Amino acid sequence: MFAYLKKFGILGNNARISDFILPHNKRSAYPFVDNKILTHELAVKNNISSPNLYFTVGSYGELKKLHTRFKDLKSAVIKPARGSQGNGILVINDIQWDEDPSKTKFLTSRKNTTSYADIEYHVSSILSGLYSLNGEMDQVLIQEKLDSIEELKLLSFQGLPDIRVILFYGIPVMAMTRLPTKLSQGRGNLHQGAVGLGLKIKDGTVTGAIQNNKNIKTHPDLNTSLFNLKVPQWLAVLNLSSKCSDLVNIRYLGVDIVIDPKKGPILLEMNARPGLSIQLANKAGLLPRLETVNNFLKSKTNAANKSIDPYDLTLKEKIDFGTTHF
Amino acid sequence: MIQIKKLKNILILICIFLPLALLVYKNQRLNMPVIPREALDFWQIEIKANHKNLSKAISALPREIVVPVPTSTNTQTIASIDFMPERNISLLQEKSGGPVLYLTPDQITKNEQTLITAQVQLFELVTNPENLKPEPIDEFEKNKYREVVNYNPATLDLVKKLAASLVFESDTELSALQKFFFYVSDEVVLSPDIDGIDDVLSLASGSLLGQARLMTALARVHNIPARIAFGIQILEPEPNRKSKYIRVFYTEAYINNRWIPINPHYKLFGQTQKDMIVIHRDSEAYTDIFNDRSMLSIMIEPLKFTSFSSDKFIKQLKAQSPLWSYFSLHRFSLSVQAIFLGILLIPFGTVILSFSRVFLGINTFGIFTPILLTLFFLETSFVFAFTLFFVVLILGFAQRFLLDRFHILAVPRLSILLTLTVIVYTLYVIFADSLGVLSVNNQTVNYFPIVIISILIERFSVYYIEEGARNTIKTALGTIFVASLCYALLSVYWLKALIFNNPELLLLSIGLNLLIGSYKGYRLSEYFRFSGLKDNN
């Protein structure tokens, strides 16, 4: 009954956990990807471009100063440090700041104008742990609002399209772009109804398109064809993703990247337990690709006649391997 | 890496086979029951004599009308006995076949029925005639049981001829009896309603009564005292339910001061029968009454085990194995035992839970919520807990629409939700009580649901935020499904009793979970999740 899954080499949830996440991802490294503040610090220290962090809120006491800290900002994104799947993220497109908090107006992507009280409530909700992975107290990031290049924006209904790259030992093995839709309410979550486009590692062209696990040809809201895309700055995207994976001791990793029109590829976040729907978007399974990487590493080890650390591979080697094989 | 894998496999083998081996060891070597049937084997038996039908029969049968009164024997103890209308048991006529209740025509017209209710405990089986208790009787009685005057002369002749053809002169009483037994058990096929000796002989088939009559007659013509006994064979011992049974007639022959039970159909010679309650041991004169449901109706029902039987069981265990009796949970009072009955089941619920997740790919709220829900089902009632679950879900959705607008922080909001749930729960119990849906007592209503609901609400609210309404409902259904599956398994009575009496089986849960946890193949849900791949082919 599972013959077709085997034929495609689909990586199932059980194998994902027991063969890849548990043996290859060090639990102690998780905080660096689960906590966006730590990810940001790590990125800044290693010259990886990531969104500007305006300020953080770590306690209820800091809420008093919250209003004044928005004074010089034109736009911002409010994020829980340990949120998952884009929950609790609030995008502010415009801020009309006033000395009086009750007169300050925020223009958010979901409602048109939002009062300062609503913003403060949202920040305190994040602090209370409403959006954090296990309901514990959380911290809040107020970050720069990123933009995306036209090519991807044309295929998105509001929101911010991003690119997810899955890396195994720093070698990019599979990628897709996630396009927000009306159904996903501007979010990039596949299981909330965003569109996933599988991308060839070789050149960033489209291999397949899905929404809610079903194949589609055109964007459900915009009716534009999804298969003409060729993601620009593709090598830069792959390079950034591979560099990110060097930062943390997580060898089976998902990296989310936004291509900003001015700044180029920017690290959005990393994920130690990347989802499996990417296979459906690519019409290909992960297993044979992961196996190819494994064999490559083994042959390297044998050739060197010693156990080599895969991290000894150069960035170019990793990217070349990915683009030639996948 | 290989070493670790080996270690895991060894651990799995140990966890699965050790408890099973212990079970076999305890059962075979220490002779300890896997499920202590003997100690738990308390039956309530109700014998009801219908006076109207009996008096109709009186005209046809001009003789005394009796109701058999069960009594203690080799294989059973009567723990208590009650009569309706009331009788004094010491005034009953005691005979070697057991007491009977004589009904005078006066009593028959005065009351509609006579009801005898007895609590019977069945013992371990006697498998060797030597172990039967001696029951000395005098020569006068022996002769009474050798009497053949009631047989029709032609029949008697046939029986005598048959007996003579079966037995050699060198045969002892016992070996002769065995030969008769083999003859009846091999040559006579069971067939209902063939009760007379002539028919049994000519047709080579007979009812239990017919077989017992032939067997008794064969013994008597060989000068061995014999009689026909009557009992109730329990067919499917089912807890908490009226059990099925059949009426059994068998022969008892008197050798070496012992009454030896002989049942050709069940191929039992000198052995007592499993799950049989002996009602009366000298029933020849009353077979027509005993065999007639309209005159004598009998009902049996297992009793839940009592502290008395637990005490007794512990004593019995101590004699068999001091070590194992030390670990027996029967040492506790019944209320504590009931709690352990629940606790010990939890690990087996987790096996189902793991299975549903790893093989089927069903998502649930939190990891152990379905288990808690199962215990809630078991504690109260399925329908009650089931509906409460949905009421709580609806409350959960409603609060998000209302309380969200008030800008209430998360923890106080959940606290309000919990308060609402307690209010709903209280109202619900009141309604359930007044409608008679739920028998309200401190077993069905306790703190437990509130604990479960608190956990459920918290999980629910997190899920709602993270996954949205559609996935929340899907997950709620998954939770209910897994909980129902656990409930179905854990309501199996013998399973509960098995784990309670053999807690070492808990290792099995570890073994099974290790096994399930090692599965790396696809989940059933993934078959559907990735079905989009098939479109292109």
Side-chain angles (χ1 to χ4, degrees):
Chain A
M1 117 173 244
F2 293 119
Y4 85 90
L5 293 175
K6 277 192 189 129
K7 198 181 110 202
F8 278 91
I10 293 293
L11 177 66
N13 219 333
N14 294 326
R16 171 179 78 133
I17 295 166
S18 53
D19 286 345
F20 294 96
I21 293 181
L22 290 179
H24 296 291
N25 292 358
K26 281 256 159 56
R27 186 81 224 189
S28 57
Y30 279 28
F32 292 107
V33 295
D34 286 344
N35 186 329
K36 292 190 183 74
I37 295 178
L38 295 181
T39 311
H40 178 80
E41 284 169 2
L42 205 61
V44 169
K45 217 164 74 186
N46 291 280
N47 279 326
I48 303 259
S49 47
S50 77
N52 283 333
L53 182 61
Y54 296 142
F55 59 93
T56 62
V57 182
S59 67
Y60 289 106
E62 292 175 48
L63 286 177
K64 280 184 219 148
K65 297 183 284 180
L66 184 64
H67 180 251
T68 50
R69 297 181 93 169
F70 277 110
K71 189 176 175 185
D72 297 322
L73 300 181
K74 285 280 147 264
S75 63
V77 180
I78 300 176
K79 278 184 191 173
R82 292 190 293 149
S84 65
Q85 302 174 345
N87 296 310
I89 294 179
L90 188 66
V91 180
I92 302 168
N93 292 320
D94 190 34
I95 302 172
Q96 292 159 15
W97 199 82
D98 193 286
E99 285 292 338
D100 182 358
S102 65
K103 284 182 186 158
T104 303
K105 283 196 178 104
F106 293 83
L107 203 73
T108 64
S109 57
R110 274 188 234 164
K111 288 185 235 169
N112 286 332
T113 46
T114 306
S115 66
Y116 170 70
D118 281 333
I119 299 291
E120 195 190 55
Y121 171 66
H122 185 75
V123 171
S124 69
S125 292
I126 295 174
L127 285 177
S128 75
L130 197 58
Y131 302 101
S132 77
L133 281 170
N134 41 17
E136 286 165 19
M137 294 284 285
D138 202 0
Q139 289 167 295
V140 188
L141 295 88
I142 286 83
Q143 274 182 333
E144 160 195 21
K145 181 186 166 252
L146 294 175
D147 201 2
S148 171
I149 45 169
E150 277 301 310
E151 286 88 339
L152 292 177
K153 246 167 59 177
L154 281 173
L155 298 175
S156 308
F157 180 83
Q158 300 173 341
L160 184 68
D162 71 351
I163 291 162
R164 151 75 54 98
V165 183
I166 297 213
L167 301 113
F168 191 44
Y169 284 92
I171 295 169
V173 290
M174 203 173 266
M176 70 170 163
T177 173
R178 296 180 295 192
L179 311 169
T181 61
K182 217 180 248 178
L183 188 67
S184 75
Q185 297 179 323
R187 295 205 264 185
N189 247 335
L190 285 193
H191 70 259
Q192 279 166 347
V195 166
L197 292 188
L199 299 173
K200 248 185 215 151
I201 294 290
K202 188 182 164 197
D203 53 11
T205 53
V206 178
T207 56
I210 53 159
Q211 187 190 28
N212 284 330
N213 290 347
K214 285 190 187 76
N215 295 314
I216 53 170
K217 291 234 158 59
T218 55
H219 192 285
D221 308 318
L222 311 166
N223 253 331
T224 43
S225 169
L226 296 166
F227 284 82
N228 300 328
L229 177 73
K230 183 172 187 293
V231 177
Q233 307 178 45
W234 184 240
L235 271 181
V237 169
L238 295 182
N239 277 321
L240 176 70
S241 70
S242 187
K243 272 190 221 159
C244 288
S245 97
D246 283 348
L247 299 185
V248 285
N249 197 359
I250 292 178
R251 281 139 191 222
Y252 177 71
L253 181 74
V255 177
D256 296 346
I257 289 169
V258 170
I259 309 176
D260 190 272
K262 290 173 206 144
K263 300 179 174 178
I266 293 177
L267 166 68
L268 204 56
E269 58 179 277
M270 293 191 266
N271 197 324
R273 318 163 189 85
L276 298 168
S277 293
I278 192 169
Q279 303 175 101
L280 204 50
N282 272 283
K283 303 272 169 296
L286 272 165
L287 275 179
R289 300 191 181 190
L290 296 169
E291 196 58 33
T292 310
V293 172
N294 248 340
N295 291 338
F296 171 61
L297 295 177
K298 254 187 222 158
S299 68
K300 276 268 171 191
T301 305
N302 290 343
N305 211 8
K306 59 168 186 170
S307 159
I308 65 154
D309 187 337
Y311 284 78
D312 290 346
L313 296 174
T314 63
L315 182 64
K316 189 173 179 317
E317 272 182 293
K318 292 179 203 168
I319 301 300
D320 282 351
F321 190 83
T323 48
T324 39
H325 288 85
F326 316 124
Chain B
M1 201 59 200
I2 292 161
Q3 290 300 319
I4 298 255
K5 208 169 179 185
K6 240 185 203 165
L7 188 71
K8 187 184 79 179
N9 289 340
I10 291 169
L11 210 59
I12 291 175
L13 286 180
I14 289 175
C15 286
I16 289 179
F17 287 106
L18 183 67
L20 296 179
L22 279 175
L23 216 59
V24 173
Y25 172 75
K26 275 162 71 179
N27 187 243
Q28 298 295 317
R29 296 300 299 274
L30 300 178
N31 220 356
M32 285 166 66
V34 174
I35 299 173
R37 286 286 308 278
E38 283 75 20
L40 306 185
D41 233 348
F42 260 79
W43 295 85
Q44 170 129 324
I45 178 158
E46 262 182 38
I47 303 175
K48 196 163 73 182
N50 186 320
H51 289 183
K52 211 169 112 197
N53 292 340
L54 273 170
S55 59
K56 261 189 223 156
I58 274 181
S59 49
L61 313 162
R63 62 171 127 88
E64 56 205 7
I65 302 295
V66 300
V67 185
V69 180
T71 187
S72 299
T73 68
N74 277 327
T75 54
Q76 67 189 30
T77 301
I78 305 297
S80 75
I81 190 157
D82 290 304
F83 299 92
M84 277 270 288
E86 257 176 62
R87 296 288 187 103
N88 189 336
I89 189 154
S90 61
L91 296 180
L92 295 181
Q93 210 159 332
E94 185 79 44
K95 287 182 176 180
S96 62
V100 287
L101 200 65
Y102 287 98
L103 297 180
T104 61
D106 186 36
Q107 285 163 334
I108 288 178
T109 46
K110 211 167 111 199
N111 300 301
E112 248 176 58
Q113 61 177 37
T114 299
L115 182 69
I116 301 173
T117 313
Q119 291 188 0
V120 188
Q121 185 186 11
L122 296 181
F123 293 140
E124 266 186 89
L125 309 177
V126 177
T127 49
N128 186 343
E130 301 281 306
N131 296 339
L132 291 165
K133 216 166 56 188
E135 293 170 281
I137 56 174
D138 56 28
E139 204 54 37
F140 171 77
E141 239 181 322
K142 274 187 198 167
N143 282 332
K144 190 187 110 188
Y145 290 121
R146 289 181 183 125
E147 197 54 75
V148 290
V149 287
N150 285 334
Y151 294 117
N152 146 349
T155 309
L156 191 62
D157 209 40
L158 278 175
V159 175
K160 272 184 182 158
K161 270 186 193 147
L162 175 62
S165 73
L166 291 171
V167 178
F168 300 119
E169 260 180 43
S170 58
D171 274 324
T172 60
E173 278 190 332
L174 189 65
S175 64
L177 207 54
Q178 276 167 338
K179 284 182 172 167
F180 300 148
F181 163 74
F182 288 132
Y183 174 81
V184 180
S185 80
D186 290 347
E187 304 295 330
V188 182
V189 182
L190 185 72
S191 136
D193 300 328
I194 300 174
D195 296 336
I197 295 177
D198 297 288
D199 294 338
V200 174
L201 281 176
S202 61
L203 300 171
S205 60
S207 64
L208 290 175
L209 177 58
Q211 293 186 12
R213 276 182 174 154
L214 175 60
M215 186 66 217
T216 307
L218 282 167
R220 283 181 185 175
V221 297
H222 203 69
N223 218 26
I224 302 170
R227 64 189 185 188
I228 293 176
F230 171 61
I232 290 298
Q233 175 72 49
I234 302 155
L235 292 183
E236 290 163 42
E238 274 180 280
N240 312 324
R241 237 187 266 175
K242 299 258 180 290
S243 294
K244 286 182 186 157
Y245 68 87
I246 47 171
R247 295 170 192 232
V248 174
F249 289 98
Y250 59 100
T251 299
E252 283 193 339
Y254 195 75
I255 291 178
N256 294 335
N257 284 333
R258 292 177 175 83
W259 281 109
I260 296 174
I262 302 166
N263 194 328
H265 172 64
Y266 289 98
K267 310 248 185 287
L268 292 172
F269 183 91
Q271 295 181 18
T272 56
Q273 226 162 303
K274 199 168 168 274
D275 295 327
M276 190 181 79
I277 300 171
V278 178
I279 304 292
H280 196 252
R281 295 168 70 196
D282 187 11
S283 316
E284 200 167 358
Y286 322 116
T287 49
D288 42 4
I289 298 178
F290 292 177
N291 218 3
D292 191 329
R293 272 156 217 269
S294 67
M295 289 191 260
L296 206 65
S297 77
I298 296 174
M299 263 196 313
I300 47 168
E301 196 177 351
L303 290 176
K304 281 185 188 159
F305 59 96
T306 60
S307 52
F308 162 67
S309 68
S310 261
D311 279 353
K312 228 173 163 169
F313 182 61
I314 274 281
K315 266 187 211 151
Q316 194 188 330
L317 266 192
K318 265 195 186 130
Q320 279 163 325
S321 163
L323 176 72
W324 286 106
S325 71
Y326 181 82
F327 290 105
S328 171
L329 293 166
H330 284 276
R331 61 165 62 228
F332 298 114
S333 71
L334 274 186
S335 52
V336 176
Q337 287 187 18
I339 292 169
F340 270 108
L341 211 56
I343 292 176
L344 296 185
L345 284 179
I346 295 177
F348 288 90
T350 64
V351 174
I352 297 189
L353 186 69
S354 311
F355 181 86
S356 317
R357 177 66 63 90
V358 172
F359 287 96
L360 306 180
I362 296 172
N363 279 331
T364 55
F365 288 133
I367 296 174
F368 293 118
T369 318
I371 300 291
L372 290 172
L373 214 56
T374 309
L375 292 178
F376 184 25
F377 286 169
L378 288 168
E379 281 266 303
T380 55
S381 80
F382 188 77
V383 178
F384 178 80
F386 195 80
T387 33
L388 194 64
F389 177 83
F390 277 104
V391 169
V392 170
L393 282 192
I394 291 165
L395 266 182
F397 277 113
Q399 62 94 22
R400 289 224 54 97
F401 289 110
L402 275 174
L403 295 183
D404 244 12
R405 303 188 180 183
F406 301 155
H407 291 182
I408 308 286
L409 294 177
V411 175
R413 179 170 55 197
L414 286 178
S415 305
I416 292 172
L417 185 54
L418 185 59
T419 313
L420 284 175
T421 313
V422 171
I423 293 170
V424 168
Y425 178 67
T426 310
L427 289 175
Y428 196 75
V429 171
I430 291 171
F431 287 139
D433 185 50
S434 68
L435 293 173
V437 182
L438 177 79
S439 66
V440 175
N441 55 44
N442 55 6
Q443 207 200 335
T444 48
V445 178
N446 55 32
Y447 293 105
F448 202 55
I450 302 303
V451 175
I452 293 166
I453 289 165
S454 322
I455 293 167
L456 190 68
I457 291 175
E458 207 190 334
R459 292 273 130 213
F460 171 85
S461 81
V462 170
Y463 223 88
Y464 187 88
I465 293 163
E466 290 187 353
E467 306 282 335
R470 205 173 125 227
N471 280 321
T472 306
I473 290 170
K474 231 161 110 182
T475 309
L477 292 177
T479 308
I480 274 285
F481 176 78
V482 174
S484 308
L485 216 62
C486 290
Y487 175 78
L489 182 88
L490 301 186
S491 332
V492 178
Y493 178 81
W494 66 260
L495 197 68
K496 278 201 257 186
L498 183 71
I499 301 165
F500 181 81
N501 286 295
N502 307 282
E504 69 270 17
L505 285 174
L506 291 181
L507 272 183
L508 207 59
S509 160
I510 298 177
L512 289 174
N513 272 312
L514 277 173
L515 213 58
I516 295 172
S518 309
Y519 173 74
K520 293 176 183 178
Y522 298 112
R523 299 174 177 183
L524 185 65
S525 61
E526 284 164 352
Y527 176 80
F528 302 103
R529 180 180 173 184
F530 292 105
S531 59
L533 286 175
K534 287 196 285 197
D535 296 357
N536 285 20
N537 284 2

